[in-house]
Amino acid sequence: PLRKLGTDLRNVTNLMLKKSKDLQWIGRQMIVGISAPLGLMMRASLQSFEAFEKQFVRTRKILGLTETAARSFSKTMLEISTRMGASRSIVAGLTSDYAQMGNKLLGSTRDLQDVAADYAELTLQLEHVGQVSAGVGRDFIANIAGLIKGSAEGAEKIAAVRGQLAKFNMVENITALALKDLAEAFPQVSPAAKAVGMELTFLAGVIGQMKELGLNATESAHALKFGLQRMINPTTKVKNLSAEYAATIADFNEELGVGNALLFNLAENMQLIKKEAGSKEALIWLGELVGKRQASRIYALVSGMDSLEISIGQIGKALDDATKGPGMDVFQNLGSQVTEGV
């Protein structure tokens, strides 16, 4: 009996050790499965709070807000963050970036903090609609705001910016160009295009046409920028060559002109040179005009001007339908009807 009792006690002891190890394993799993994630969440929350505080201090410094105004403005950013599903630090960062641009660029007579907050929300709306990242969207919208002509007395420029975005949305619907690609490419070429009098919507259509031809939108914008700069200020060699063609070829456009017609005149010249002197001479003239590095992409564009003309016609019809429609909002998520932007 004593031997059996000893055996039983030993078995009970071993069983208790086994259960203790099981409990130890459960405790480790709880640490890994519950405590560690909670710690990571707390760390992320603290980092988010720290990021917001840094951006908010910058915003407050730019705007010169008092303590009371700062508390009220913090609530405004929280509301935008909740509506748009974005972190408060991103909202604060966008707001401070727009506030630094000033009321003159943003085109408003309201308090700068309210205008900057509206532009920040518009940027986040564009991110939802067109999958455009906040940083790219900020630069895109700022570029549009800088290019749009002055608004009427008492009018807010942000309405015109929304209207221009609505037009770009139509270009996306009609061509192969996505708003994300346009947002990255557009600021590169828009100043040069505006300098030659080209409409912004037409420019977007041109980039869309180049995208349909299989060309990268950003690289196409880069080529178009340098091409336009050389078209409006051609070299002496190009001027002499164009003068020779104008003297021998009827209807040749010695001066390409300005505005949307510039590219159509270029395409017409290419066709005339091809007909009279051959494709090689046409390519040589184009290379001298826009630069050899840009010639291939510009050649692809001017070769498809018929398709571009059709696309532009479709965009124009869509704009007419939108402006005539009863309260139609083609960019509804941006909260604006089509407004004349340029």
Side-chain angles (χ1 to χ4, degrees), residues 182-194:
L182 181 62
E184 293 175 352
F186 191 82
Q188 290 193 39
V189 66
S190 57
K194 194 67 175 178

Side-chain angles (χ1 to χ4, degrees), residues 1 15 24 27 63 69 96 99 135 139 169 184 209 214 254 306 325:
L15 182 62
Q24 186 182 32
L63 295 171
S96 60
D139 296 339
N169 185 63
E184 293 175 352
Q209 175 64 23
E254 185 176 355
D306 291 341

Side-chain angles (χ1 to χ4, degrees), residues 158-200:
I158 192 171
V161 174
R162 286 195 180 104
Q164 189 60 57
L165 288 172
K167 296 176 184 179
F168 289 155
N169 185 63
M170 292 180 186
V171 174
E172 179 189 40
N173 294 337
I174 292 170
T175 69
L177 184 66
L179 272 175
K180 180 181 178 181
D181 294 329
L182 181 62
E184 293 175 352
F186 191 82
Q188 290 193 39
V189 66
S190 57
K194 194 67 175 178
V196 302
M198 191 176 291
E199 294 177 359
L200 301 185

Side-chain angles (χ1 to χ4, degrees), residues 316-326 328:
K317 185 178 183 302
L319 285 171
D320 289 340
D321 292 343
T323 52
K324 291 176 183 176
M328 180 179 180

Side-chain angles (χ1 to χ4, degrees), residues 118-181:
D118 287 345
Y119 273 94
E121 186 168 5
L122 178 61
T123 304
L124 294 172
Q125 289 169 344
L126 180 62
E127 183 176 21
H128 284 292
V129 174
Q131 304 301 310
V132 181
S133 65
V136 174
R138 175 202 59 211
D139 296 339
F140 183 40
I141 289 175
N143 178 260
I144 296 171
L147 293 171
I148 285 178
K149 63 186 180 183
S151 303
E153 187 68 26
E156 293 287 326
K157 186 185 279 190
I158 192 171
V161 174
R162 286 195 180 104
Q164 189 60 57
L165 288 172
K167 296 176 184 179
F168 289 155
N169 185 63
M170 292 180 186
V171 174
E172 179 189 40
N173 294 337
I174 292 170
T175 69
L177 184 66
L179 272 175
K180 180 181 178 181
D181 294 329

Side-chain angles (χ1 to χ4, degrees), residues 209 212-213 301 303-314:
Q209 175 64 23
E212 287 183 350
L213 294 170
L301 172 63
S303 297
M305 290 303 287
D306 291 341
S307 177
L308 174 62
E309 192 170 4
I310 293 172
S311 297
I312 294 299
Q314 292 174 340

